[in-house]
Amino acid sequence: MKRTKPSDSQTIQGTLYALVIMGNLALIASLLEQDLSAPYQVVMVLMGTFGLLTMRRFDLLMPWQPGRQGSIGTQLYWTWVGLVGLLLFVGYLTRYSDYFSRRVLLLWFVTTPILLYVFHKLAMFVARQFLPQLVHRRTAVLVFANDSARTLAR
């Protein structure tokens, strides 16, 4: 199987998702008056890198339908759960979990998917307002002419 290089738009989208993930951790740590020490910075870089690599496949300009199986929102949520699981596993193996506030990490784990959803909605709004040619619109017309057409529609 031939590997293809990610497009520039995929790299930009992955970078934006990574910045949201990293920025959310920095914001929560500062709000809870936690110092952004070296272990937090390592987690930010790790999760930013993992976020860039895994989340660049999600199109910012496609509408989401969270909760529907197979939708972009649901896939992004499960990707985030996988990244959190990977981070917890690495933390367990390296015994670095004592360096982190459980409150900060738990709040970060819970709020990041919500923030990613809000970020996506904001990106969609900006794209519709300023770059309408980039927003994907899908339309379909079903004409029920006979029984075969009704079967196809189902």
Side-chain angles (χ1 to χ4, degrees), residues 44-152:
M44 284 175 57
V45 170
L46 276 176
M47 289 300 277
T49 303
F50 292 150
L52 169 67
L53 294 175
T54 59
M55 294 188 181
R56 66 180 171 200
R57 64 188 168 129
F58 301 116
D59 191 351
L60 276 172
L61 302 179
M62 287 294 289
W64 285 10
Q65 296 171 341
R68 197 182 108 231
Q69 188 175 6
S71 75
I72 293 174
T74 305
Q75 290 175 12
L76 190 129
Y77 172 76
W78 286 112
T79 300
W80 175 248
V81 169
L83 288 174
V84 167
L86 179 66
L87 180 69
L88 292 175
F89 181 69
V90 169
Y92 174 76
L93 287 179
T94 59
R95 307 274 192 243
Y96 270 88
S97 59
D98 294 339
Y99 290 104
F100 303 101
S101 163
R102 295 190 196 292
R103 195 168 155 208
V104 169
L105 290 182
L106 185 61
L107 195 58
W108 181 52
F109 294 158
V110 171
T111 59
T112 298
I114 297 166
L115 193 60
L116 288 171
Y117 180 76
V118 169
F119 173 72
H120 174 76
K121 288 296 188 182
L122 180 66
M124 287 287 295
F125 175 76
V126 168
R128 282 193 185 115
Q129 294 297 315
F130 301 106
L131 305 165
Q133 69 276 11
L134 294 180
V135 179
H136 305 289
R137 298 178 194 259
R138 295 184 342 185
T139 59
V141 176
L142 296 176
V143 178
F144 296 101
N146 57 24
D147 291 333
S148 298
R150 282 189 206 96
T151 305
L152 177 65

